[in-house]
Amino acid sequence: MPSEAELIAQRLEKRARLLEHVDPYPARVQRTHTAAAAAAAFAAAGEPDGEGADAIAVFVVGRVTAQRIMGRAAFFDLTDASGRIQLHFRRDVQGDAFELLSLTDLGDFLEVSGALFRTRTGELTVAAGQWRVIAKALRPLPEKWHGIVDVETRTRQRYLDLIANERAREIARKRVAIVGAVRRFFTDHDFMEVETPVLQEHAGGAAARPFVTHHNALDRDLFLRISLELHLKRLLVGGFEKVFEISRVFRNEGVDARHNPEFTLLESYEAYVDYEHVARMVEELLSFVAQEVNGTLQLAREDAETIELSAPFARTTYRGALREHAGFDYRDYPTVDALRALARERDLPVAEGASWATILDGFMSTFVEPRFVQPTFVFDYPTELSPLAKRKVDDDGAVERFELFINGYEIANAYSELNDPVDQRMRMDEQARKAAAGDEEVELIDEDFLIALEHGMPPAGGLGIGIDRLVQLLTGEHSLREVILFPALRERDRGTHGQVRSDPRA
RNA sequence: GGGCCCGUAGCUCAGUGGUAGAGCAGUGGACUUUUAAUCCAUCGGUCCUCGGUUCGAAUCCGAGCGGGCCUACCA
């Protein structure tokens, strides 16, 4: 009678019958070996016979992922985080307990004791003695061969993806390894890891719409941060010379394969260095992380050229890249109207009321960025696009900023940080004028930050790297949703994912 | 936000106007070294939702919900 509700009812019945013997949800279990440790111990001992005096006795725990029952014997697969080990139950050994095996289902967790042996087909196996259910599952496991392939189910119920798909586990582990390697790189270079506020009076440091929330006791609105920049700079003012933070930031924008409303950002600031220094550090950082997590600097891709992450990376300038790949010099188009006319000529769609800088960036992302498959630094951005970066000494219209592109994606963004409080105030004023004109994605005046700057901030090089994008790059995944365990999705059926609720009274 | 595509059993999928199907999972039976175990039998459906066309709709049309891809903003 297996509709979903009936499958659950059957398992509830089995749970009730187990309860007559023993609690199927004990708080304490016994475990001497993981699946992998059992295999290692068995090999180290010279694969002793399971019935001899030198047999290796183990307690293993894990989830039942396969059952092959054949009359008076049964083979189960037991899976834990280290891998899989086979269990062999025999009627003549188990006695009455053998019948209780019918109360176990795929997905249940078991604790099993017994001696290790190798079957005649060569499979490492526990000759099961005492065993018990340590967690009874009420819902069926995904199909054993195809697993879960439905993208929506895989993201809404990521645990099913993790149970069924080795690739999902691999990505999750690699992400942890990447964040760990990045953190190690910075701490090894004497950077101090800090924590700055998520809830802020002003959401600054980037051009994006923020989330707004409300503090009841203080009775005022607060913003969720959109970047880490302005507080890390306050720490430079405070006298720390090398700081970094790896943390979530929040942007109230669209959701798609490349964007999630919350994502993980790395930012670092180092006093007394410029963006050239930061560029060399980024080369070193990416080489280090790739080597640590992938064991190679090459990123092989299907049907596409291999990406080489070895330093030095290619370099160009914003102006030079546009000249080369878009075929014009932006200095020849100094006004919005001129640039807009050019955009029309090139069939580049331009939003109503877009600024000069926005249109220019449109050229950049459409005609130039996709060309940078191999790691390429683009130096010296127009000042208008970069209100927090220091102007170039010999060129007022450009700032000391670079972005790093790999596989057509922006991976890193860095400046020689603007530390002239007068220039900073003027640039924020300029942004404020744009805001007044209706542009929602501009830097707003943060008076508290300006006051900090006015106390003196040392020259410094700053860096930002989107960790999710970096994970995408190093795993070769095409969608951000694959590298974020629980990406944002629309609400559906009040959290039941369209599934029936279990009802113990049914 | 716009365009295109998709939604069928717990899972993976067939079915494109005429009685809703398969494999796995489940249930019952056979089977003491199997490993996608095998064999026999069997249960299981708001065909995403609502409305329309039709003698008749999973199938055609419309709207909605959810998802995917492309596109626009953003990282």
Side-chain angles (χ1 to χ4, degrees):
Chain A
M1 30 170 220
S3 67
E4 186 180 15
E6 288 160 338
L7 288 171
I8 292 169
Q10 283 173 354
R11 285 172 177 244
L12 280 169
E13 170 63 21
K14 289 176 180 176
R15 174 186 179 277
R17 287 177 55 197
L18 281 168
L19 268 170
E20 293 166 9
H21 298 85
V22 64
D23 178 12
Y25 301 95
R28 276 160 289 281
V29 303
Q30 195 168 354
R31 178 193 225 182
T32 59
H33 295 73
T34 64
F42 190 64
E47 309 218 343
D49 187 277
E51 309 196 343
D54 55 350
I56 299 176
V58 299
F59 273 86
V60 292
V61 293
R63 168 182 270 129
V64 177
T65 49
Q67 291 179 316
R68 295 176 290 281
I69 298 168
M70 45 219 341
R72 296 181 187 79
F75 291 92
F76 284 19
D77 285 351
L78 195 72
T79 302
D80 67 17
S82 77
R84 186 180 65 87
I85 192 165
Q86 183 170 254
L87 310 173
H88 185 215
F89 297 89
R90 297 166 57 118
R91 179 79 178 83
D92 54 5
V93 172
Q94 293 291 326
D96 291 345
F98 193 82
E99 308 311 320
L100 293 180
L101 286 176
S102 66
L103 300 181
T104 67
D105 285 291
L106 292 177
D108 291 356
F109 285 83
L110 300 185
E111 173 197 83
V112 180
S113 69
L116 296 176
F117 74 106
R118 204 172 276 289
T119 64
R120 64 169 170 244
T121 51
E123 180 89 10
L124 176 63
T125 302
V126 177
Q130 294 280 0
W131 65 275
R132 60 178 175 151
V133 174
I134 56 175
K136 180 71 196 163
L138 299 184
R139 291 177 189 266
L141 233 42
E143 204 255 357
K144 65 182 170 189
W145 193 241
H146 304 91
I148 293 275
V149 298
D150 179 68
V151 177
E152 186 177 354
T153 307
R154 286 183 42 238
T155 50
R156 277 191 201 281
Q157 297 178 270
R158 182 67 83 189
Y159 48 89
L160 294 180
D161 192 26
L162 292 167
I163 289 169
N165 300 317
E166 170 57 26
R167 177 64 181 158
R169 297 191 289 270
E170 186 187 339
I171 292 170
R173 290 199 188 100
K174 190 173 269 194
R175 180 178 178 122
V176 171
I178 288 167
V179 172
V182 168
R183 178 169 281 122
R184 211 171 323 124
F185 179 89
F186 280 98
T187 51
D188 286 354
H189 286 74
D190 298 320
F191 280 77
M192 188 169 80
E193 184 169 11
V194 298
E195 298 171 276
T196 62
V198 172
L199 297 174
Q200 306 184 341
E201 269 181 71
H202 300 94
R209 284 199 296 262
F211 286 93
V212 189
T213 186
H214 188 79
H215 191 294
N216 290 339
L218 300 181
D219 189 25
R220 67 166 218 217
D221 286 343
L222 290 169
F223 299 97
L224 272 60
R225 65 182 170 194
I226 57 173
S227 88
L228 312 174
E229 179 148 357
L230 301 184
H231 282 84
L232 292 176
K233 283 180 172 174
R234 285 168 168 89
L235 296 177
L236 293 181
V237 171
F240 291 127
E241 295 180 3
K242 291 171 136 188
V243 293
F244 78 105
E245 181 167 8
I246 301 172
S247 204
R248 286 293 171 93
V249 299
F250 308 85
R251 297 188 183 177
N252 207 339
E253 315 268 358
V255 179
D256 61 30
R258 293 180 193 178
H259 300 89
N260 198 59
E262 53 181 304
F263 64 100
T264 303
L265 191 59
L266 156 78
E267 288 197 30
S268 75
Y269 292 84
E270 179 172 1
Y272 312 120
V273 303
D274 68 352
Y275 72 151
E276 283 283 350
H277 179 96
V278 176
R280 289 190 294 276
M281 184 180 78
V282 167
E283 288 172 336
E284 218 186 307
L285 170 68
L286 292 191
S287 301
F288 174 77
V289 174
Q291 189 68 47
E292 286 287 297
V293 304
N294 285 345
T296 173
L297 298 185
Q298 270 109 45
L299 292 174
R301 298 175 307 151
E302 266 179 56
D303 306 321
E305 63 182 293
T306 295
I307 293 173
E308 296 280 347
L309 289 178
S310 31
F313 298 162
R315 293 177 175 225
T316 183
T317 62
Y318 195 90
R319 196 175 168 194
L322 274 172
R323 267 202 301 241
E324 186 181 346
H325 297 290
F328 72 97
D329 186 338
Y330 67 76
R331 300 283 164 103
D332 296 338
Y333 302 85
T335 65
V336 183
D337 291 340
L339 207 53
R340 185 178 286 275
L342 183 67
R344 204 173 304 121
E345 224 172 87
R346 302 289 178 84
D347 289 326
L348 180 73
V350 172
E352 193 72 21
S355 67
W356 179 85
T358 303
I359 300 173
L360 193 63
D361 219 38
F363 276 104
M364 196 67 190
S365 46
T366 304
F367 297 110
V368 182
E369 292 173 8
R371 311 291 279 270
F372 297 139
V373 172
Q374 296 298 330
T376 305
F377 287 117
V378 177
F379 280 82
D380 301 338
Y381 278 63
T383 307
E384 279 198 51
L385 284 168
S386 319
L388 302 167
K390 193 189 286 281
R391 288 179 208 267
K392 288 183 72 71
V393 174
D394 56 352
D395 182 356
D396 234 27
V399 292
E400 293 200 0
R401 170 186 184 181
F402 72 77
E403 290 193 347
L404 172 65
F405 294 91
I406 306 177
N407 198 19
Y409 286 110
E410 181 196 329
I411 290 292
N413 179 23
Y415 320 138
S416 294
E417 301 298 338
L418 177 56
N419 64 339
D420 174 353
V422 174
D423 191 7
Q424 183 67 82
R425 186 176 288 280
M426 285 183 342
R427 299 232 226 135
M428 282 188 166
D429 283 344
E430 175 58 33
Q431 296 283 311
R433 275 193 289 281
K434 285 185 183 172
D439 192 342
E440 284 188 81
E441 296 185 353
V442 294
E443 196 66 46
L444 296 175
I445 296 176
D446 183 340
E447 195 61 43
D448 186 70
F449 170 69
L450 285 170
I451 289 170
L453 265 197
E454 288 166 1
H455 283 88
M457 185 181 92
L463 168 68
I465 291 183
I467 292 291
D468 312 270
R469 292 274 174 89
L470 182 63
V471 176
Q472 241 183 295
L473 178 72
L474 293 175
T475 56
E477 286 298 324
H478 298 296
S479 171
L480 207 60
R481 280 184 290 266
E482 298 296 338
V483 303
I484 295 177
L485 281 171
F486 300 103
L489 290 170
R490 285 186 160 80
E491 184 183 28
R492 183 174 179 187
D493 299 323
R494 293 197 195 117
T496 63
H497 317 300
Q499 295 164 318
V500 301
R501 287 158 185 272
S502 68
D503 184 357
R505 292 151 302 179

